[in-house]
Amino acid sequence: MVAVDVVVLAAVALLGFLVLGLLRSNAELTRAMHSLGVDLSPDAPAGSGAAGASAGGVATPVALQARPTPARPDPTAVPDLAGVTPSGDAVAIAVTGVRHDTLVAFLTSGCSTCRGIWDVLKQGVPDVPGGARLVVVTRGSEAESPGVVAGLAGTHVPVVMSSDVWSGYDVPYAPYFVYVSGPAARVVGEGTAATWDAVRTLVANAVADGTTNPVAQPDLGERWAKSSADADREQRIDRELAAAGILPGDPRLRPTSITQPAGPEPGEIRR
Amino acid sequence: MKITSHGLSVTPPPGWDASIYLRPPGPGEVTRPVLHAATVPLPAGRGDYGSGLVETLGATDVFVALLDFGTDNADTALFASTAMPGLTPDMYRPKAMQRVIAGQAGVQRFFTAGGRAFCLYSVIGSYAAAQSLCARANQVLGSLEVQAVGG
């Protein structure tokens, strides 16, 4: 009888430790989410941000601002989106070295907040302010059912299933959105929102603020603003270099020597 | 960023989209793998020869398609070449397009690799820039891998 009591007491103590551990981990998670502007409590008051109220999940949209993360401290470390489609085909989508911007939507099939966004995507390609290309990324088939994802996504918006991409972007939760400037080859904003309207508002604000169109930081010694013609020319050159596969930091941009042509240039007359 | 599917692999250069897909067959229909790579986004509703995509090519853009014609056609007269073709600028012709688009040029070659018959089709956005755009197409072709039948 004493032995039974001891076993029961030990079991109760063990359960107590487990419950305490779970409560502590939940508190830490909640604190972390709050620090990111996300309130997971179902009765939380509506957010005062651009998106307004939520539907049982993310209450406060997080502004699209670049967020250094332990796995992605450098905003120019932007992996392209390679994986498989829900139908099992292979796909690779470039987000840097391209002329367009990309809005990457990280969604899961299980999160209730994602459901409303899936519904919008299934109806067609939604309007993205600024004209960015919209791509959905889910975890790979080891964590998501391709059939379920196919049913949710429809056929209008490209879907890439890849846990490597999910990890590469250090996605904290779903839904999560990352805005990548193709010409600048960098993340210019990321955050979350409960509805597609809220996402649109966040992106529209970022576009209006110029956040999605980063330009080179002026030198400290630069006293005059660039003319629009100079800015246009710089952007055109950046685009053409990117199209040729020459991205920021490419060693070809800083040759150590220049080989002079041996003969006359076309049209040149040498005496 | 190498992708592999249906016995084909490609490593698209930076700034390229790529896809290896197999259309779901209709009743009594047989479909075979298709590989697409382009310097523009690959639209969802594009055709196997790039219809719906080539119209979006700008003057610096390139499209490459590799279409599997199966083992039955391998080593037949049309697919007698046994080497993956490298492209040269003079191979591109404005009239080699599936549908002529002003300024653009295309090329089509047939060959057998790994016991499978293939058609290679490529379009460049500017015939005048064939020299540089052909080099970009060859970048992709150099990364193509075909898995042999039964291999």
Side-chain angles (χ1 to χ4, degrees):
Chain A
M1 192 63 188
V2 173
V4 172
D5 286 346
V6 168
V7 169
V8 169
L9 279 174
V12 168
L14 183 61
L15 283 172
F17 275 120
L18 285 173
V19 170
L20 281 174
L22 283 172
L23 287 173
R24 183 178 171 194
S25 118
N26 180 60
E28 285 173 356
L29 188 62
T30 306
R31 268 200 302 276
M33 300 293 263
H34 269 288
S35 71
L36 287 164
V38 179
D39 190 345
L40 293 173
S41 60
D43 53 352
S48 57
S54 80
V58 183
T60 309
V62 177
L64 282 176
Q65 308 234 331
R67 175 187 66 105
T69 79
R72 188 165 44 81
D74 178 2
T76 62
V78 190
D80 286 330
L81 313 176
V84 296
T85 66
S87 57
D89 297 325
V91 64
I93 293 178
V95 296
T96 62
V98 292
R99 296 187 291 269
H100 58 269
D101 294 347
T102 306
L103 179 63
V104 189
F106 291 91
L107 304 177
T108 71
S109 61
C111 89
S112 58
T113 311
C114 299
R115 191 55 64 97
I117 294 167
W118 283 117
D119 289 344
V120 171
L121 303 183
K122 195 172 183 179
Q123 290 166 18
V125 182
D127 170 47
V128 181
R133 181 188 192 188
L134 178 63
V135 179
V136 172
V137 173
T138 72
R139 290 191 178 93
S141 57
E142 73 283 359
E144 291 276 9
S145 158
V148 171
V149 172
L152 288 168
T155 57
H156 304 290
V157 176
V159 177
V160 179
M161 300 184 69
S162 168
S163 296
D164 286 344
V165 172
W166 194 283
S167 302
Y169 278 83
D170 199 19
V171 176
Y173 41 76
Y176 197 75
F177 299 86
V178 178
Y179 193 104
V180 182
S181 165
R186 61 182 297 154
V187 171
V188 294
E190 55 192 291
T192 188
T195 65
W196 180 254
D197 283 344
V199 176
R200 280 195 80 256
T201 305
L202 289 176
V203 176
N205 290 343
V207 170
D209 294 343
T211 309
T212 57
N213 188 23
V215 293
Q217 294 296 313
D219 293 333
L220 290 175
E222 190 172 354
R223 294 173 185 275
W224 296 281
K226 283 191 179 75
S227 72
S228 61
D230 285 346
D232 289 347
R233 191 177 303 114
E234 277 190 8
Q235 289 188 5
R236 178 177 55 78
I237 292 169
D238 284 347
R239 280 196 302 272
E240 289 178 359
L241 286 169
I246 301 174
L247 302 174
D250 192 302
R252 286 173 291 181
L253 293 170
R254 292 180 172 77
T256 53
S257 64
I258 297 174
T259 306
Q260 295 292 337
E265 291 290 319
E268 181 185 1
I269 298 172
R270 289 194 177 173
R271 296 174 191 277
Chain B
M1 194 177 57
K2 179 178 179 178
I3 59 170
T4 302
S5 190
H6 308 304
L8 299 173
S9 297
V10 66
T11 305
W16 285 69
D17 276 14
S19 168
I20 305 169
Y21 64 89
L22 185 66
R23 292 192 188 281
E29 189 184 7
V30 175
T31 58
R32 296 197 173 92
V34 177
L35 183 153
H36 281 174
T39 56
V40 294
L42 301 175
R46 66 190 183 277
D48 289 345
Y49 287 87
S51 58
L53 181 150
V54 294
E55 295 85 350
T56 70
L57 295 179
T60 58
D61 290 319
V62 184
F63 167 65
V64 173
L66 186 68
L67 297 92
D68 187 342
F69 276 77
T71 53
D72 292 350
N73 289 307
D75 298 318
T76 57
L78 181 61
F79 299 93
S81 173
T82 54
M84 177 89 74
L87 298 176
T88 55
D90 58 299
M91 290 179 179
Y92 284 92
R93 301 282 180 195
K95 290 188 177 175
M97 303 273 295
Q98 188 188 33
R99 183 172 64 84
V100 173
I101 298 176
Q104 297 188 359
V107 58
Q108 190 174 30
R109 290 291 184 273
F110 300 90
F111 64 100
T112 294
R116 303 160 67 178
F118 287 100
C119 168
L120 170 69
Y121 180 61
S122 174
V123 176
I124 52 177
S126 168
Y127 184 42
Q131 191 82 29
S132 60
L133 299 182
C134 175
R136 299 190 71 190
N138 280 327
Q139 261 189 296
V140 171
L141 297 182
S143 78
L144 288 179
E145 294 172 28
V146 174
Q147 188 180 339
V149 174

